[in-house]
């Protein structure tokens, strides 16, 4: 089963081109100042010009207010909003209604007690990103290079499409797909040579491994 790939946290034109050339179907851009992958709205607008038609452009925000979302939607050509903070189901619905774009909601998983959140959001989000729950001491809600017990979402089916994230690398993504049955996978730190610095060879290797997963 070939998995659809999302490469997140892109900051440079050459990596945008590399990700699209490797077959990624989603490209993510981070609007969160604490992240080493953070970019300005103006820089994002320029980067998105290099994204080929047919590749979805995703704006990742963390508990963003309407003012920031207004700027992102109004000044760039993003196709989807990714909410990666503690946004409630009500907030997800509000964002969808206000901006008219598909919304992906990230959900952090550490143990069985966290899986129930998925049902809460599956009815309001257009897609779900099932990620590893960040440690309490972490500055970032995602992109920390940690994974969770994939058996918690093994062969699960929810009312909307979902992506598997959290600690994925070119070396383990095929195993993750086989174990969970995920049809979509998301990677950020797993294709970096240093925090926030994407590596073109790792991007290509990750996409190849995900596409070959069976």
């Amino acid at each position: 089963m070939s998995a659809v790939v999302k490469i997140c946290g892109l900051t440079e034109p050459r990596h945008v081109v590399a990700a699209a050339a490797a077959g990624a179907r989603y490209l993510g851009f981070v609007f969160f100042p604490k992240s080493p992958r953070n970019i300005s709205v103006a820089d994002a607008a320029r980067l998105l010009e290099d994204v080929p038609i047919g590749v979805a452009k995703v704006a990742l925000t963390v508990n963003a207010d309407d003012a920031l979302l207004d700027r992102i939607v109004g000044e760039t050509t993003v196709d989807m909003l990714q909410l990666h903070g503690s946004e409630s189901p009500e907030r997800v619905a509000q964002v969808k209604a206000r901006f008219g774009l598909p919304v992906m909601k990230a959900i952090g998983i550490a143990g069985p007690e966290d899986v129930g959140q998925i049902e809460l959001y599956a009815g309001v989000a257009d897609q779900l990103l099932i990620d590893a729950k960040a440690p309490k001491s972490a500055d970032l809600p995602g992109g920390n290079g940690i994974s969770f017990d994939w058996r918690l979402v093994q062969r699960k089916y929810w009312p909307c499409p979902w992506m598997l994230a959290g600690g994925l690398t070119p070396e383990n993504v095929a195993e993750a797909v086989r174990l969970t049955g995920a049809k979509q996978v998301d990677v950020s730190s797993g294709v970096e040579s240093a925090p926030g610095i994407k590596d073109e060879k790792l991007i290509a290797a990750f996409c190849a491994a995900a596409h070959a997963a069976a």
Side-chain angles (χ1 to χ4, degrees):
M1 177 179 63
S2 178
V4 171
V5 173
K6 175 174 175 278
I7 304 292
C8 196
L10 295 161
T11 61
E12 296 185 36
R14 63 193 176 99
H15 297 143
V16 169
V17 172
R25 296 284 300 278
Y26 296 83
L27 303 184
F29 303 88
V30 176
F31 302 88
F32 184 54
K34 291 184 178 181
S35 172
R37 305 163 189 99
N38 179 61
I39 57 175
S40 69
V41 175
D43 285 343
R46 289 188 287 270
L47 275 178
L48 268 55
E49 294 176 357
D50 295 318
V51 179
I53 295 173
V55 177
K57 298 160 287 189
V58 184
L60 185 160
T61 63
V62 179
N63 300 321
D65 59 19
D66 285 346
L68 175 57
L69 294 176
D70 278 334
R71 287 196 61 207
I72 293 170
V73 174
E75 299 176 27
T76 77
T77 56
V78 295
D79 302 304
M80 178 179 288
L81 299 173
Q82 178 177 330
L83 307 183
H84 213 107
S86 57
E87 300 90 357
S88 66
E90 292 76 19
R91 176 58 174 163
V92 173
Q94 181 187 46
V95 169
K96 281 183 60 176
R98 178 181 176 93
F99 297 99
L101 291 176
V103 174
M104 178 186 296
K105 180 66 180 83
I107 298 173
I109 303 293
E113 67 279 4
D114 298 313
V115 177
Q117 295 182 78
I118 296 173
E119 296 291 348
L120 293 177
Y121 289 94
V124 294
D126 296 284
Q127 294 212 41
L128 300 175
L129 183 79
I130 311 302
D131 199 358
K133 192 173 186 177
K136 291 183 178 179
S137 59
D139 288 330
L140 307 178
N144 293 298
I146 59 175
S147 60
F148 64 96
D149 185 350
W150 294 327
R151 291 172 296 181
L152 293 171
V153 295
Q154 188 173 20
R155 305 292 166 180
K156 298 289 186 181
Y157 300 93
W158 291 288
C160 66
W162 63 281
M163 288 187 180
L164 181 67
L168 297 179
T169 67
E171 292 74 30
N172 69 14
V173 65
E175 178 188 0
V177 169
R178 286 194 296 267
L179 180 60
T180 64
K183 296 180 180 180
Q184 304 185 108
V185 291
D186 175 283
V187 66
S188 184
S189 62
V191 291
E192 292 180 345
S193 57
I197 307 299
K198 292 291 186 285
D199 184 299
E200 294 172 40
K201 291 182 179 179
L202 291 177
I203 289 172
F206 184 91
C207 289
H211 294 156

